Amino acid sequence: MRVSSTEWNISFAGCGFLMAYYCGVYSCLFECAPSLLDGVKKICGASSGALMGAIVACKMSPAKCCKILLEMSREARKGTLGAVHPSFNLLNIVRTFLIRDLPDNAHLLTTGQLCVSLTRVSDGTNMLVSEFDSKEDLIQALVCSCFYPLYCGVVPPSYHGIRYVDGALSDNMPYSNLSNTITVSPFSGESDISPYSIPFNFHEIHYNNVSIHINFINAYRVVIAFFPPGPEVMAEMCQNGYKDAFLFLMGNEFLEFHSPLCELTLTNKWDHFPSSRRYIKENKTTEDSDITRWPKVTEHPKNILPESINEVFHEAYMKEYETRGSFSVKLVSFIMWCILPVEMVYIILLRFIDWSPQVWSNTVSICKRTTEGIRMVWKRTFSRT
């Protein structure tokens, strides 16, 4: 049974710098199933998934998407302590790239289609925002959805006068409960498009509507989500996303154009994949048992990413290689480690100066949240007794 393409939704889970996987997924859909993207009704996401949703809704090129992510990851690795260095401000970097790269009419392209998941600070309630008055309004919603407490700062940003934090903390995969929603996650689990791996004793956890298998590779992916690796590792993640999306399209007969992945050898073995990746949720009642098996893609030396994306990763790798291991870089790195304490004090003072105009309102907000948290814990403790 086939469902009309006009009824599809796509939901991207929040995943930090694992967004490289989404670049591969988007590249495959863009190249092999453009009508599927054209017919998407709702594009949902939290945190980096919301950023990916905005890119898809604005129909930006996959190569540009990869380039933006690589530039952001390079900024995250630039400091002495990487992403945890006080000078690294993820929200400012995200805002800068969104202002620069999103089209001027992005709010018109995304209104009614993009659903940004936000978590309201006051009560932890999830909010889905899909109406945007301007490009700046859209950017502010995306910035709020990307604010992960402590990692991004202490004081959450506000949207329309209300403070919000990362949408992944309340609903990491909006619309995932609907049968016509294609769920995408870079963590191996029960999402429609996700890596395949065997969990320990077939155990999994559900993190705010996202299924995640318990295994070492997913633990490694959690680390990458906060601390981005070099371009060679991100290129591998991108290629894995392309392959997994291709398997999904092939299993559901959505392929429209030739892809380099078609040249890969398919084994005669048929391996069982997680149920939600075997076929679209609407087809789970089918009596055809053959559709529940997918061919396993064997290893192949050919790089299956489009040439435009290969060029982006090659350029990023060459920049990394040119600076890696040189004497001047090692000397500068040694000096930076020596002056790190002074630099941290200086950065903290600068941030305090920036924060000082709103110090009273922010202090009141922090006190209110702390009081509400203590009150909630008090009620739960004494209600049980």
Side-chain angles (χ1 to χ4, degrees):
M1 179 176 64
R2 293 288 300 277
V3 180
S4 172
S5 60
T6 58
E7 298 178 5
W8 294 127
N9 303 315
I10 296 182
S11 187
F12 295 96
C15 61
F17 288 100
L18 288 171
M19 186 178 166
Y21 182 86
Y22 291 160
C23 294
V25 172
Y26 177 44
S27 177
C28 182
L29 299 179
F30 188 88
E31 183 180 57
C32 302
S35 63
L36 180 65
L37 288 178
D38 293 338
V40 167
K41 186 176 181 181
K42 295 289 185 181
I43 304 174
C44 313
S47 192
S48 57
L51 298 180
M52 192 69 235
I55 290 173
V56 174
C58 292
K59 294 181 169 46
M60 297 171 62
S61 71
K64 190 171 185 178
C65 172
C66 291
K67 188 174 182 179
I68 294 172
L69 179 62
L70 286 170
E71 290 180 12
M72 292 176 60
S73 65
R74 191 182 306 118
E75 289 292 326
R77 299 194 310 273
K78 184 182 294 184
T80 310
L81 299 177
V84 295
H85 194 278
S87 63
F88 176 68
N89 192 322
L90 179 61
L91 296 188
N92 283 347
I93 293 175
V94 169
R95 177 182 291 277
T96 299
F97 281 108
L98 290 176
I99 293 174
R100 187 193 72 182
D101 296 305
L102 283 182
D104 293 336
N105 64 337
H107 59 293
L108 300 178
L109 298 174
T110 55
T111 292
Q113 185 179 44
L114 176 65
C115 296
V116 180
S117 178
L118 303 173
T119 302
R120 192 164 57 197
V121 173
S122 59
D123 56 3
T125 302
N126 180 262
M127 302 292 292
L128 283 181
V129 180
S130 59
E131 301 291 330
F132 311 102
D133 300 328
S134 63
K135 179 180 176 180
E136 175 58 31
D137 191 51
L138 167 63
I139 291 175
Q140 188 60 25
L142 294 173
V143 166
C144 287
S145 185
C146 291
F147 183 89
Y148 200 89
L150 298 183
Y151 181 78
C152 294
V154 178
V155 182
S158 61
Y159 179 70
H160 291 181
I162 301 175
R163 297 192 182 275
Y164 294 96
V165 294
D166 198 327
L169 298 176
S170 54
D171 189 354
N172 200 18
M173 191 174 279
Y175 282 35
S176 60
N177 59 324
L178 300 182
S179 58
N180 61 342
T181 298
I182 301 172
T183 54
V184 190
S185 171
F187 298 98
S188 61
E190 296 296 314
S191 298
D192 296 311
I193 302 177
S194 66
Y196 175 71
S197 62
I198 301 175
F200 292 145
N201 298 322
F202 298 96
H203 288 167
E204 64 173 326
I205 60 174
H206 286 268
Y207 176 67
N208 295 327
N209 296 330
V210 178
S211 166
I212 302 177
H213 287 159
I214 300 177
N215 51 36
F216 286 123
I217 187 62
N218 273 343
Y220 171 67
R221 290 177 180 130
V222 171
V223 175
I224 291 180
F226 294 96
F227 303 96
E232 60 273 22
V233 177
M234 300 193 79
E236 183 180 357
M237 287 192 293
C238 184
Q239 182 159 283
N240 290 336
Y242 191 105
K243 289 180 181 180
D244 292 333
F246 181 87
L247 286 174
F248 173 81
L249 296 176
M250 182 177 62
N252 293 279
E253 300 179 358
F254 280 138
L255 289 176
E256 300 175 36
F257 298 106
H258 175 79
S259 166
L261 197 56
C262 297
E263 300 174 6
L264 294 180
T265 303
L266 298 179
T267 64
N268 292 327
K269 290 184 178 181
W270 296 84
D271 297 335
H272 287 283
F273 277 70
S275 58
S276 61
R277 294 183 59 201
R278 295 174 193 161
Y279 44 88
I280 295 297
K281 300 168 188 173
E282 285 283 344
N283 297 336
K284 285 186 178 179
T285 57
T286 180
E287 297 178 357
D288 186 2
S289 60
D290 290 338
I291 200 172
T292 64
R293 298 172 181 267
W294 282 10
K296 181 179 179 181
V297 179
T298 59
E299 294 296 329
H300 197 280
K302 182 178 177 60
N303 190 324
I304 49 84
L305 291 174
E307 188 60 31
S308 58
I309 294 182
N310 282 327
E311 291 178 358
V312 171
F313 279 109
H314 178 71
E315 180 182 352
Y317 178 78
M318 292 306 296
K319 288 182 180 179
E320 194 93 359
Y321 180 79
E322 289 172 359
T323 58
R324 186 186 300 170
S326 64
F327 175 76
S328 59
V329 172
K330 290 182 179 179
L331 179 61
V332 171
S333 178
F334 175 76
I335 295 174
M336 292 299 292
W337 274 107
C338 293
I339 66 173
L340 179 61
V342 178
E343 184 184 11
M344 291 183 68
V345 172
Y346 175 70
I347 295 296
I348 292 173
L349 286 175
L350 287 181
R351 289 200 173 185
F352 179 78
I353 292 173
D354 292 337
W355 181 54
S356 57
Q358 296 86 27
V359 63
W360 176 251
S361 60
N362 290 336
T363 302
V364 172
S365 176
I366 293 174
C367 291
K368 285 183 178 179
R369 293 202 305 271
T370 303
T371 304
E372 290 172 358
I374 295 174
R375 188 180 303 166
M376 187 178 300
V377 172
W378 182 274
K379 286 183 178 180
R380 289 182 178 179
T381 301
F382 283 92
S383 62
R384 291 177 182 176
T385 58

